[in-house]
Amino acid sequence: MDVNTASIINGKEEARKVREELKKEIEELKEKYSITPGLSVVLVGDDPASQVYVRNKTRACEEVGIRSFNYTLPATTDTRELLELIDGLNRRDDLHGILVQLPLPDHIDEREILEGISPMKDVDGFHPFNMGRLVTGAPLFRPCTPAGIMRLIDSTGYDLTGRDCVVVGRSNIVGKPMVFMLLERNATVTVCHSRTRGLSDKIGKADVVVVAVGRAGFVKGEWIKKGAMVIDVGINRTEDGRLTGDVEFDEAVKRASYITPVPGGVGPMTIAMLLKNTVESAKRRIGERP
Ligand code: NDP
C-alpha cells in the first residue's frame, strides 16, 4: 500500500532560529550604535485573549533584548484619546515599532487608528502605505503572519517559481498580503473566500495550499493533491480546550509532502517576524537598511 507521510514543518524551531539571529543583530546594534530596539504594545480593554497575546509579545521582546513598552488603556478609551497616545509614540526616538493589539472595542475606528501609526514604525505592516508598498513590489514592513509563512516555506528549500498556489481566506492581515508575497516569488496564485465556487477542486489542483479561514478541520485531507505543501494558519479551540487548525491534519499528512502543524507551525513565526520587523526598523533609523 502506498502510505505517504508529509514532513512536518517545525515552526517552533524556525522561530527559535529567527530569535537567535536577532539576538546577535541586537547585540551588534548596541555595540556599534548604542541603540536598543524598542517596541510599544498598546492594548485597549481587558479581552483575555488579547492580554495573553500582549504578554507573549512582551516576553519574546525581553528574550531577544528588545525593550518593550506596554500601554494598557481602559475599554472606554475613544478614538481621539488613542490617536493622541499614538501620536506621542510616533515622535519618540527610543521606539522603533508601534503595535496596537486588535481587535479594538467596537466604538473605536480601527482604520483611523492603523492609519495614525507612522508607516516607519508600523511593524505589523497593516498601514495602507505598507500594504501599498507590498502590492507594488517594494515592501517596507511585511505583515508578520505571511512573512513568517514565507520563511517556513524557504526553510524547506521549496522553489515557488511557477507553482500553483491556492490561498483560502482574503483578510487584510493574512490572505491578501500572502497573495502578494507568493506573487513576488513568481508563483501563480488563486485566492479563495466564502463566495468561491468549487473550492475543493481548486485546492485539489494546488501545489501549495495556504488556509486562513478560522474553522476547525474545514479543509478535508482528501482534497489535498498528493505531494502538495499545506500551510495551516487557522487557530481554533476545540470543545475540550485543544488548539487545532483549519486543515484535517491526520488525513492531509498522508497526502502532503510538507505540512505545518497547529500548534507549533505558523503561530510561533508570527511573533518572531514582529521582532524581526522591530529590529529592521531600528536599523533603518540608523541607515543600515534602505
Ligand atoms: P478572517 O475571519 O478575517 O478571514 C477569514 C477568511 O476566510 C475570509 O476571507 C472568509 O471569506 C474566508 N472564509 C470563511 N468561510 C469560508 C468558506 N466557507 N470557504 C472559503 N473561505 C471562507 O480571519 P483571519 O485571516 O484573521 O484569520 C484566519 C484564521 O487564522 C483564524 O483561525 C485566526 O485565528 C488565524 N490566525 C492565525 C495567526 C497565526 O499567527 N497563526 C495570525 C492571524 C490569524 P470572506 O472574505 O468572503 O468572508
Side-chain angles (χ1 to χ4, degrees):
M1 212 172 75
D2 173 24
V3 180
N4 171 68
T5 305
S7 301
I8 312 289
I9 305 178
N10 189 339
K12 250 175 136 171
E13 175 59 16
E14 200 54 36
R16 192 193 58 77
K17 284 187 196 159
V18 173
R19 288 197 301 271
E20 285 308 313
E21 290 163 18
L22 291 176
K23 273 186 199 167
K24 290 199 190 95
E25 292 176 33
I26 291 166
E27 277 306 314
E28 253 180 59
L29 280 173
K30 284 185 188 162
E31 274 172 27
K32 268 170 81 178
Y33 303 99
S34 304
I35 277 193
T36 303
L39 173 69
S40 61
V41 182
V42 181
L43 174 64
V44 184
D46 44 22
D47 174 53
S50 293
Q51 285 171 338
V52 172
Y53 291 139
V54 167
R55 240 193 338 266
N56 289 344
K57 286 168 188 173
T58 309
R59 201 177 305 139
C61 281
E62 279 163 13
E63 198 206 314
V64 296
I66 291 175
R67 213 178 268 153
S68 70
F69 302 83
N70 285 3
Y71 296 87
T72 305
L73 306 180
T76 50
T77 306
D78 63 23
T79 304
R80 188 187 49 78
E81 288 167 325
L82 187 50
L83 278 175
E84 274 171 18
L85 171 69
I86 290 170
D87 196 39
L89 301 177
N90 281 340
R91 291 166 201 272
R92 272 176 52 179
D93 279 341
D94 59 338
L95 282 179
H96 306 93
I98 301 172
L99 178 151
V100 177
Q101 184 64 45
L102 301 179
L104 287 166
D106 286 345
H107 65 273
I108 295 185
D109 185 337
E110 188 174 297
R111 183 181 293 272
E112 207 176 327
I113 297 303
L114 294 183
E115 291 184 10
I117 298 171
S118 160
M120 299 309 288
K121 292 190 178 182
D122 171 39
V123 284
D124 256 339
F126 297 159
H127 192 289
F129 176 86
N130 282 312
M131 282 291 185
R133 290 286 293 252
L134 176 65
V135 171
T136 53
L140 198 63
F141 292 112
R142 294 159 188 268
C144 301
T145 301
I149 291 172
M150 294 309 292
R151 167 103 187 199
L152 287 181
I153 295 175
D154 288 343
S155 75
T156 67
Y158 190 91
D159 182 3
L160 286 163
T161 307
R163 297 291 187 175
D164 290 318
C165 300
V166 166
V167 177
V168 191
R170 55 173 165 179
S171 69
N172 288 336
I173 63 171
V174 187
K176 282 181 197 159
M178 187 78 254
V179 168
F180 291 98
M181 289 185 207
L182 292 168
L183 269 181
E184 196 182 11
R185 297 294 191 81
N186 302 313
T188 303
V189 190
T190 304
V191 55
C192 301
H193 45 78
S194 64
R195 312 291 173 88
T196 295
R197 293 184 192 165
L199 181 67
S200 57
D201 287 346
K202 290 185 170 61
I203 289 178
K205 294 196 181 92
D207 300 313
V208 178
V209 187
V210 179
V211 189
V213 171
R215 284 203 209 172
F218 174 72
V219 169
K220 305 298 166 214
E222 66 194 28
W223 296 356
I224 304 295
K225 182 168 92 171
K226 281 206 166 144
M229 178 183 281
V230 178
I231 307 287
D232 191 349
V233 188
I235 303 178
N236 310 288
R237 204 166 277 283
T238 59
E239 275 175 13
D240 56 1
R242 281 178 310 115
L243 284 186
T244 180
D246 288 348
V247 178
E248 208 180 48
F249 183 88
D250 292 347
E251 289 306 310
V253 76
K254 295 178 194 159
R255 302 177 68 86
S257 58
Y258 292 96
I259 189 165
T260 60
V262 179
V266 176
M269 293 303 289
T270 299
I271 293 188
M273 299 321 272
L274 170 72
L275 305 177
K276 192 171 169 56
N277 277 348
T278 305
V279 173
E280 284 194 3
S281 179
K283 286 185 170 176
R284 210 169 270 135
R285 176 84 61 78
I286 51 172
E288 269 215 352
R289 281 188 65 91

